[in-house]
C-alpha cells in the first residue's frame, strides 16, 4: 500500500495569453474548478498507476470539500483518514499561459490541520510506502515518516513546493524527488555552492546514502542511487499545460517502486506519466492511467 500524507485543494484555473509580472494584472476569458493539491494529485496518480492507495489529510466542511474529494473517491483511493475540520478547504489559484507554463498561489486552509497521528492506527508494514510533499505542516510530515520507518516501510519526499527541508525529515527518507528549482533550493539549504541539478542528486546519494531523482521538464529525468547514474530523455508529446506533471511523475514512480519495477522501471513509468499529464488541461483530470503509462513506456523506453 502507498500512504500519501498530504494536501487536498480545489484548483481555480485561468488561461491567460501570458503570465503576469510583479504588480501586473492580466485578463483571462474564464476559469474552471478542478480537484487538486499535491497530496491528492499524487494519491490519484499512484492509484491510477495501479497501486492501492490511502490518503491522510484534511478538508473543510464546505462546498469545495466535495469537489476536492470527487475524483479520488471515483477512482477508489481510500479516504477514511481524511479529516473534516473547521477551516476552509485548501485552494490553489493557477494561471496557465499559451505555452503551457503556469503560476500558482496556494491557500493552505484545512491543510494546515492535517495530522499524522492516524498513521499509528493503520496496519503499516515493510511492504508499504509513505509519500510526502510540502503543503502540510513539516512537523507532521516528520512524525508520519517516523511512523512508517518504525513499521519498516519506505519514505519518499517530493520537495514541492520548494523549501529547505528539516534535517530530521531528510534523516527519515529513502527517496528524494526534486525538480531543477527545488534542487537549487536544496543545495542552498545544505550550503553547497554548486546548485547544478545533477550534481545535487549525486551528492545527496553519495554523502547521505539517499536515492535522489531530479525531474528536468522536457529534458527528462536523472536519478542517482548507490553511486549509479540513470538518465532518461522525455518522450515527445504535445504540451497543453504542465500542471500536475510533477505530481503524476511522483505518484507513478512511487507506484512502480512499490510494485517492484526497480529504480529504472520506476523512472520510466514516472516520466511517461508526467509526459502524458502535459497533454491534458488541469491537475487531476490530466493524471494518466496505468494502461496509457505502460503503452508509452513500451514505445519510448523498451
Amino acid at each position: 500500500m502507498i500512504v500519501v500524507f498530504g494536501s487536498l485543494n480545489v484548483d481555480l484555473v485561468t488561461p491567460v495569453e501570458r503570465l503576469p509580472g510583479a504588480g501586473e494584472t492580466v485578463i483571462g476569458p474564464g476559469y474552471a474548478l478542478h480537484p487538486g493539491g499535491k497530496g491528492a494529485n499524487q494519491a490519484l496518480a499512484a492509484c491510477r498507476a495501479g497501486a492501492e492507495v490511502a490518503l491522510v489529510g484534511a478538508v473543510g466542511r464546505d462546498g469545495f470539500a466535495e469537489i476536492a474529494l470527487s475524483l479520488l473517491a471515483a477512482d477508489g483511493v481510500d479516504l477514511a483518514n481524511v479529516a473534516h475540520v473547521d477551516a476552509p478547504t485548501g485552494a490553489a489559484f493557477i494561471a496557465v499561459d499559451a505555452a503551457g507554463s503556469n503560476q500558482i498561489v496556494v491557500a493552505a486552509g484545512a491543510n494546515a490541520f492535517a495530522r499524522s497521528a492516524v498513521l499509528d492506527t493503520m496496519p503499516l508494514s515493510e511492504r508499504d510506502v509513505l509519500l510526502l510533499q510540502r503543503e502540510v505542516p513539516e512537523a507532521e510530515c516528520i512524525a508520519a515518516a517516523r511512523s512508517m520507518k518504525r513499521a519498516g516501510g519506505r519514505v519518499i519526499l517530493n520537495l514541492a513546493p520548494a523549501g529547505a527541508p528539516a534535517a530530521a525529515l531528510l534523516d527519515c527518507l529513502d527517496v528524494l524527488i526534486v525538480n531543477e528549482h527545488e534542487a537549487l533550493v536544496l543545495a542552498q539549504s545544505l550550503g553547497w555552492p554548486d546548485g547544478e541539478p545533477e550534481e545535487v542528486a549525486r551528492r545527496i546519494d553519495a554523502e547521505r546514502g539517499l536515492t535522489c531523482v531530479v525531474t528536468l521538464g522536457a529534458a527528462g529525468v536523472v536519478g542517482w542511487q548507490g553511486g549509479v547514474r540513470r538518465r532518461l530523455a522525455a518522450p515527445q508529446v504535445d504540451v497543453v499545460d504542465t500542471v500536475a506533471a510533477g505530481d503524476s511523475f511522483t505518484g507513478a514512480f512511487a507506484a512502480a517502486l512499490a510494485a517492484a519495477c526497480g529504480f529504472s522501471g520506476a523512472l520510466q513509468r514516472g516520466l511517461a506519466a508526467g509526459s502524458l499529464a502535459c497533454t491534458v488541461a488541469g491537475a487531476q483530470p490530466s493524471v494518466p492511467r496505468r494502461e496509457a503509462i505502460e503503452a508509452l513506456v513500451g514505445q519510448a523506453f523498451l
Side-chain angles (χ1 to χ4, degrees), residues 1 34 49 124 126 128 153 155 161 177-178 221 234 264:
M1 179 174 66
H34 299 296
L124 304 177
E126 69 278 359
D128 298 328
V155 181
I177 300 174
V178 296
V221 66
S264 294

Side-chain angles (χ1 to χ4, degrees), residues 132 145 149 155-157 165 168-176 209-211:
L132 302 168
K149 297 305 286 186
V155 181
I156 300 172
L157 171 66
L169 183 55
L170 288 178
D171 289 343
C172 293
L173 302 182
D174 295 282
V175 182
L176 178 63
L210 174 58
T211 297

Side-chain angles (χ1 to χ4, degrees), residues 207-284:
E207 298 180 19
R208 294 187 173 256
L210 174 58
T211 297
C212 190
V213 174
V214 184
T215 58
L216 304 169
V221 66
V222 62
W224 279 85
Q225 182 182 62
V228 178
R229 174 185 184 268
R230 294 169 177 84
R231 175 71 187 263
L232 296 174
Q236 296 299 305
V237 296
D238 295 325
V239 175
V240 174
D241 77 42
T242 58
V243 175
D247 293 335
S248 295
F249 174 96
T250 300
F253 174 91
L257 209 61
C261 292
F263 186 50
S264 294
L267 289 174
Q268 291 171 351
R269 286 157 179 82
L271 190 53
S275 298
L276 288 167
C278 293
T279 66
V280 179
Q284 289 183 21

